[in-house]
Amino acid sequence: MDPHLLRTYVTVARLASFSAAAHELGYTQSAVSQHIAALEQDLGASLLTRRPVAPTPAGRRLLEHAGPLLLRLDAARVDVRRTAAAPEPGLTVAATPTALRERAAASLPFAGVTVRVLRRDAVPAEVATGAADVGLVDGVAAPSDPLRLPDVAPLTTRGVAEEPVHVVLPARHPLAHRTGLRLADLVDARWLDAPGAGLPLDQLRAALGNGGLRAALRYDGTDVATLLALAAAGHGLTVLPASVAAHAPGAVAVPLTEPRVVHRVELVHAGELRGPAAEYARVLAEV
């Protein structure tokens, strides 16, 4: 399967237009049509309806494969170039809002640093494609267990920190006076689904082992203060690292005692660390 043809197909499917895809890719519309026809012939399946332009069932299935395939190709290209080139000055760090806490932030160099705060699922791809030198990812895990990251490229991870997690509730919540909470007792509670700012509900469900944890409101941003305000206003519960949950005006943070899980932060990088990235990893390990 020719990756050039696959990129053309993904672009046409995303824009729902042959002409718009031609403009974005710098091809003629005729060339885009030829690319799609060649890919359909290679796969022996129709991938797009023409009026309107939309993926067929086979085309939708191909899109599921296309993203990871193209990302791996981009990651391979960047990895080879990175290995052959001299390290560039400066450091770009991609991090989730709850991963860049006191320890990770204090270890950053004082000059030449760019920090990009992203959703949790975007950080590994940023590192794999060279948009960031290193990444800081976090999540819920059993103590000392590694996080499960998407398989976007051969990435190296190393643990940076672990701390307890707390349930954030409104100050007037009936359970706010507790000294500890079990997740099993909160299965039927209203929850906030905030994959970009908080700890993912799907990881909590996996730790619980029997489903539950119904989302009452979804927050798609990456601002932790907004998430805490939503929890304090009673829109739902959320679980956050202890150091973050402690700063919740109008809310109460109660330790999660069962299941026994922690908030884990890991440093992610591709290939051998050099230059400022290597120095950052060294300082992080010593803090």
Side-chain angles (χ1 to χ4, degrees):
M1 188 187 307
D2 188 329
H4 295 291
L5 304 183
L6 188 58
R7 288 187 191 280
T8 300
Y9 168 68
V10 169
T11 305
V12 173
R14 173 169 55 84
L15 298 175
S17 168
F18 280 74
S19 59
H23 178 75
E24 180 172 307
L25 295 170
Y27 298 146
T28 65
Q29 186 169 335
S30 175
V32 169
S33 297
Q34 291 173 13
H35 283 192
I36 299 302
L39 185 59
E40 289 178 328
Q41 183 176 7
D42 179 31
L43 296 176
S46 174
L47 301 175
L48 290 166
T49 60
R50 268 42 177 190
R51 294 185 181 178
V53 176
T56 63
R60 288 193 295 271
R61 192 60 178 268
L62 178 60
L63 286 173
E64 295 177 8
H65 295 281
L69 285 171
L70 294 175
L71 181 57
R72 291 288 294 222
L73 288 172
D74 289 340
R77 182 181 297 108
V78 169
D79 200 20
V80 171
R81 290 176 177 172
R82 183 192 290 121
T83 302
E88 296 183 1
L91 175 67
T92 299
V93 180
T96 63
T98 45
L100 193 63
R101 306 312 303 165
E102 287 83 356
R103 178 178 180 178
S107 302
L108 288 169
F110 285 96
V113 179
T114 299
V115 176
R116 303 182 62 195
V117 177
L118 303 170
R119 292 170 58 98
R120 187 169 285 100
D121 55 2
V123 172
E126 290 290 295
V127 175
T129 57
D133 299 305
V134 295
L136 290 169
V137 293
D138 66 339
V140 175
S144 300
D145 274 6
L147 299 175
R148 295 182 180 180
L149 301 180
D151 184 22
V152 296
L155 298 177
T156 300
T157 63
R158 60 184 77 181
V160 171
E162 289 185 356
E163 66 172 312
V165 294
H166 286 191
V167 181
V168 180
L169 317 95
R172 295 187 298 274
H173 194 281
L175 301 178
H177 65 282
R178 296 282 189 90
T179 57
L181 289 170
R182 301 190 317 149
L183 199 56
D185 295 334
L186 304 172
V187 169
D188 297 323
R190 293 164 51 89
W191 283 87
L192 291 167
D193 184 15
L199 300 182
L201 273 185
D202 58 352
Q203 293 183 6
L204 294 174
R205 292 186 185 109
L208 187 59
N210 62 356
L213 308 185
R214 176 177 57 88
L217 184 149
R218 181 180 175 89
Y219 171 56
D220 277 329
T222 57
D223 182 51
V224 178
T226 300
L227 176 61
L228 290 172
L230 291 170
H235 292 291
L237 310 184
T238 189
V239 171
L240 289 168
S243 60
V244 179
H247 306 288
V252 173
V254 181
L256 183 66
T257 57
E258 189 180 321
R260 188 165 173 261
V261 293
V262 295
H263 170 247
R264 179 175 173 86
V265 179
E266 294 181 354
L267 182 75
V268 182
H269 63 89
E272 181 182 355
L273 286 174
R274 296 183 295 168
E279 178 64 14
Y280 179 50
R282 183 190 67 77
V283 174
L284 260 182
E286 293 178 353
V287 173

